[in-house]
Amino acid sequence: GQERFATLGVAFYRGADAAILVYDISDLSSFQKINEWKESFLDICGTEQSDSEFPILLLGNKDDLASQSRQVDSNAGRDYAKRQDMLFYETSAMNGHNIAQAVKEIASKACSRNTAPMVRADLFKDIDIGYKGDNTEPIEPTACPCQIL
């Protein structure tokens, strides 16, 4: 959503099989831009599916700061995602909370559409993306994610 990345959209969005939109739960203005980001993405990516058919994951990030500086209520994010037929999670990039589960769910949904025939949903079921147990303790990665493909 940052202006400096706007020109990269065409190169990265075209032919996408899913999208992940991220807002900062401690910054209301980032949440208010989600619809703009979504519409911009769908216009650029060239999808032939309707908005409700295209897999989109909405992440409310910085969940680790929820008790100190939350500006966006989790229900607001959840309700918006439900109205827009998006998946929704509150996450923390700082401690990994819900990251693995969110990525696996959007990957599974994207793969189930069979628009990327070289990538199958069963490839993603055992991916280790670097967190153990409750997703709060980082561990050393076991392999480069690009090796999956």
Side-chain angles (χ1 to χ4, degrees):
Q2 294 179 17
E3 206 53 44
R4 63 185 173 163
F5 298 115
T7 58
L8 298 175
V10 174
F12 286 102
Y13 298 174
R14 182 72 51 194
D17 293 304
I20 300 174
L21 301 174
V22 183
Y23 67 92
D24 178 345
I25 68 166
S26 66
D27 179 2
L28 181 59
S29 67
S30 68
F31 179 71
Q32 292 169 334
K33 291 181 182 180
I34 290 295
N35 200 56
E36 176 186 330
W37 296 339
K38 176 189 170 209
E39 294 304 319
S40 174
F41 172 81
L42 291 173
D43 287 346
I44 294 171
C45 82
T47 182
E48 296 177 7
Q49 288 83 29
S50 71
D51 291 1
S52 64
E53 293 174 339
F54 192 86
I56 299 177
L57 169 62
L58 179 63
L59 297 179
N61 195 39
K62 298 191 180 177
D63 187 44
D64 54 295
L65 301 177
S67 62
Q68 299 126 321
S69 57
R70 178 185 288 276
Q71 290 184 5
V72 182
D73 184 72
S74 59
N75 288 329
R78 188 174 293 105
D79 292 346
Y80 177 83
K82 185 175 182 178
R83 286 192 312 273
Q84 299 295 317
D85 294 314
M86 298 176 176
L87 300 171
F88 175 75
Y89 286 88
E90 283 201 341
T91 60
S92 171
M94 176 68 78
N95 64 27
H97 176 72
N98 276 342
I99 300 288
Q101 186 175 354
V103 169
K104 284 181 181 180
E105 189 168 352
I106 192 67
S108 176
K109 189 169 183 178
C111 289
S112 71
R113 297 173 62 236
N114 291 322
T115 58
M118 292 178 58
V119 180
R120 301 183 325 266
D122 61 325
L123 292 175
F124 291 95
K125 67 182 178 192
D126 294 320
I127 294 175
D128 178 1
I129 60 174
Y131 291 92
K132 54 183 167 176
D134 62 359
N135 293 338
T136 59
E137 251 184 275
I139 58 172
E140 292 300 314
T142 56
C144 174
C146 60
Q147 291 176 353
I148 295 167
L149 304 175

